[in-house]
Amino acid sequence: MSTPLPPGQRESATFHRFGLTQFAQRFPNHTSSCALEVIGSVTRTLHLVDALQGLPRIEQTSDFHCVTTWSYRALRWEGVRFVDFYNQVLLPQAAPQASATLVALRGQDGARTGMLLEDLLAPDVLLADRLDGEPISVDHGAPLRLVAPAHYGYKSVKHLSRIEFREPSAGYRVSGLSFMDHPRARVANEERGRVLPGWLLRYLYRPLIPGTVSRFAKASQSRNAGTGCSGGAAT
Ligand SMILES: Nc1nc2c(c(=O)[nH]1)N[C@H]1C(S)=C(S)[C@@H](COP(=O)(O)O)O[C@H]1N2
Ligand SMILES: [Mo]
């Protein structure tokens, strides 16, 4: 059952709470419902109170690959396929411009990245509110996170609160540290960053793992109680 890990990745025994250290101390303000804002190149801006309401729920097991080279195997996510959310909510209600093929994603903690709409519509990309049979914990993205298993972990935005449709003609610059943020970040292609080659970034990122893990773990302390989406929980 165990497939080889993608190039440059090593298996981790722990699913670390992780990210850029500037986000270690930041936590979501709202964890009891999956509110989501849809803005940008859309016909109508949306303020959804429960983004997953009424949509078909699925369960999916996938490996998780952080760009710094740790991978954690076989996480069991539950939620809604992004493509279903797109077809059943975004297209009819927000009606994005056909030319807005870049989507900026933002978490409640201020973390940002972008994905090509085409990548978001892959069948394994989820809006997830449950992990391993429980509501997603604050540590791992409560109340709602993106899960994009074919892309490095930084595309899987936790505490997802806003999605913004953009015209790609303006260029890809979504996060503050855009040199680290590859527009696609496909794990199979080792697209770790925008500027330096993936194989080189392996060696630059790997030494940062222990310090980052301990900063995120310390900051989390007693903040890891889980919450779920109103009405979204599978029974
Ligand atoms: N909102 C938000 N999303 C985020 C991050 C973050 O700091 N804040 N870190 C990213 C990175 S670099 C990784 S590897 C994964 C880590 O997910 P985890 O903390 O659930 O293990 O979340 C990604 N999504
Ligand atoms: Mo990461």
Side-chain angles (χ1 to χ4, degrees), residues 18-71:
F18 207 87
L20 289 172
T21 50
Q22 58 181 303
F23 297 109
Q25 316 271 359
R26 299 196 205 163
F27 293 90
N29 292 319
H30 309 286
T31 54
S32 57
S33 71
C34 294
L36 195 59
E37 219 182 7
V38 181
I39 63 168
S41 295
V42 291
T43 310
R44 269 180 310 279
T45 293
L46 303 181
H47 296 273
L48 302 168
V49 176
D50 182 353
L52 307 192
Q53 197 171 27
L55 294 169
R57 296 186 61 85
I58 64 147
E59 191 182 299
Q60 172 177 292
T61 299
S62 52
D63 298 346
F64 191 94
H65 308 293
C66 173
V67 72
T68 62
T69 73
W70 62 265
S71 289

